[in-house]
Amino acid sequence: MAKINFGGVEEEVVTRDEFPLEKAREVLKDEVVAVLGYGVQGPAQAMNMRDNGIKVIVGQRAGTKNWDKAVEDGWVPGETLFSVEEAAEKGTVIQYLLSDAGQRSLWSKIVECLNEGDMLYFSHGFSVTFKDDTGVIPPPHVDVALVAPKGSGRSVRLNYLDGSGINASFAVHQDATGKAKDRTIALGIAIGAGYLFPTTFEKEVYSDLTGERGILMGALAGVMEAQYNELRKHGHSPSEAFNETVEELTQSLIRLVGQNGMDWMYANCSTTAQRGALDWKDKFRDAVAPVFTDLYQSVVSGNEARITLEANSQPDYRAKLEVELAAVRDSEMWRAGAAVRSLRPENWKK
């Protein structure tokens, strides 16, 4: 693996230069990759591998929206599209990409489909790390690994199509064949990873659950609401409050931060913005630090996993979720956002 200096700490990573797609195809030439679940990550990983010349089949419950989507994406019932159990029986690499709650509920059937030398693949360390709650304990005769793209399934597909790829972590939990590492990296390259960095199942799930509850979604949405509400409390219009809170961030600043880093952002804004942002940065960091400490402990203790499994296993979970999402969608802030988005030049003719 290549050694790269990340902020003064040297880490080993796998790039496409040292593990090109041709090598991945050679490693996987005799494999049948069964992608179980056509929800969030399944479509992107399945289609990227198919486009890269890997033999892929899909397992999905018939009569569902995701089954219909798989058909629309070119998977053929009885040829490349099967029930979850049938696909698991036919595959030599079983990509277990159902929801975490779904993995728990189907595990007793899937484990019976695992033959000696198969690989059980995850894109999340959840089920194995929290095995006391999920019951997912792989048998000793299979490889167990994960490749976790650092982005949504939609981004995995879109980045692949525009040639940029998306970074991913990888881990080998169990090496029954002696080939688990090569198989895992080959799968990471085949799904379109930009580069791969090593982790463990535990570290992947701890960082992932913290990130999505924190700055990636939960904290971001909460801080946005707090600023929007404060501006509105002092008489600023919805349009002004939304533009100063969300639109300028998403349409301008965060893209520049992604391209050039935060120091560049500070150096290239007005001196007034620069002085104020630098002065307030540490206050916000110190204010939210205790919340992140609580969050991480809640993740490591398994509390977040138990909450997730209990909520997502309820038969009316989807209905309750829609109520929560409607409350966000129908709030003044996000209705203002919809109006602002409609006024973007690219949407004028839609």
Side-chain angles (χ1 to χ4, degrees):
M1 291 192 285
K3 292 185 177 180
I4 306 292
N5 187 311
F6 291 92
V9 178
E10 195 171 75
E11 297 182 34
E12 293 184 330
V13 301
V14 179
T15 68
R16 297 189 196 186
D17 288 338
E18 60 190 302
F19 207 111
L21 180 58
E22 283 307 315
K23 183 175 179 179
R25 288 173 175 149
E26 179 63 25
V27 171
L28 300 174
K29 65 181 180 181
D30 296 324
E31 307 279 10
V32 176
V33 182
V35 176
L36 308 188
Y38 209 71
V40 178
Q41 283 286 337
Q45 295 195 28
M47 287 192 286
N48 289 1
M49 286 190 290
R50 182 177 64 183
D51 290 352
N52 277 330
I54 309 301
K55 186 174 183 180
V56 182
I57 60 175
V58 169
Q60 174 62 45
R61 187 157 57 92
T64 63
K65 289 182 179 178
N66 288 342
W67 173 278
D68 294 340
K69 182 178 187 328
V71 172
E72 291 172 7
D73 288 340
W75 304 100
V76 181
E79 295 182 16
T80 56
L81 177 60
F82 304 92
S83 70
V84 173
E85 293 86 347
E86 284 181 288
E89 290 174 351
K90 294 177 182 295
T92 58
V93 174
I94 314 303
Q95 291 201 347
Y96 205 23
L97 302 184
L98 299 172
S99 69
D100 296 320
Q103 290 183 14
R104 179 175 69 167
S105 65
L106 273 185
W107 176 243
S108 62
K109 295 181 179 178
I110 299 304
V111 70
E112 296 299 322
C113 302
L114 298 176
N115 298 310
E116 185 169 352
D118 283 352
M119 168 171 273
L120 179 62
Y121 165 114
F122 298 85
S123 280
H124 198 12
F126 190 103
S127 288
V128 171
T129 299
F130 300 115
K131 60 182 184 299
D132 291 343
D133 296 298
T134 65
V136 175
I137 302 174
H141 57 265
V142 300
D143 292 344
V144 181
L146 71 76
V147 175
K150 298 298 111 179
S152 69
R154 181 175 174 80
S155 298
V156 171
R157 183 58 176 167
L158 291 178
N159 284 24
Y160 172 82
L161 291 175
D162 72 18
S164 61
I166 199 162
N167 303 331
S169 59
F170 76 96
V172 174
H173 180 74
Q174 183 169 289
D175 186 1
T177 66
K179 302 175 182 176
K181 186 175 181 180
D182 269 2
R183 293 170 99 183
T184 306
I185 294 173
L187 288 161
I189 296 298
I191 66 169
Y195 79 88
L196 294 144
F197 59 94
T199 186
T200 65
F201 273 56
E202 289 82 3
K203 287 181 178 177
E204 191 284 330
V205 72
Y206 293 166
S207 60
D208 185 75
L209 294 187
T210 300
E212 62 198 13
R213 283 155 177 72
I215 200 63
L216 300 180
M217 285 192 287
L220 180 64
V223 171
M224 284 177 170
E225 284 185 26
Q227 177 169 304
Y228 179 89
N229 291 341
E230 188 66 19
L231 291 173
R232 288 288 290 134
K233 187 169 72 177
H234 296 287
H236 298 270
S237 69
S239 177
E240 184 169 60
F242 190 87
N243 269 282
E244 294 292 354
T245 301
V246 179
E247 192 73 353
E248 187 171 342
L249 172 69
T250 59
Q251 295 302 294
S252 173
L253 303 189
I254 203 65
R255 296 176 182 176
L256 296 172
V257 172
Q259 292 168 0
N260 306 295
M262 200 66 212
D263 61 315
W264 184 96
M265 189 70 253
Y266 284 129
N268 287 274
C269 61
S270 72
T271 55
T272 301
Q274 181 184 80
R275 183 69 270 139
L278 285 167
D279 287 346
W280 278 88
K281 173 180 72 67
D282 291 354
K283 294 180 182 177
F284 279 109
R285 181 199 61 203
D286 294 344
V288 302
V291 181
F292 279 101
T293 298
D294 289 346
L295 168 57
Y296 193 80
Q297 288 306 312
S298 186
V299 169
V300 172
S301 70
N303 187 49
E304 294 300 311
R306 288 186 286 275
I307 291 172
T308 298
L309 289 170
E310 181 177 350
N312 295 1
S313 299
Q314 298 298 316
D316 60 348
Y317 168 71
R318 291 287 175 188
K320 289 180 176 176
L321 174 65
E322 179 51 34
V323 171
E324 290 184 90
L325 297 183
V328 175
R329 184 169 56 246
D330 295 337
S331 68
E332 180 197 278
M333 176 177 168
W334 288 106
R335 283 187 290 119
V340 170
R341 290 194 298 276
S342 72
L343 294 173
R344 292 177 189 161
E346 66 267 28
N347 294 325
W348 286 352
K349 295 182 180 179
K350 292 183 180 179

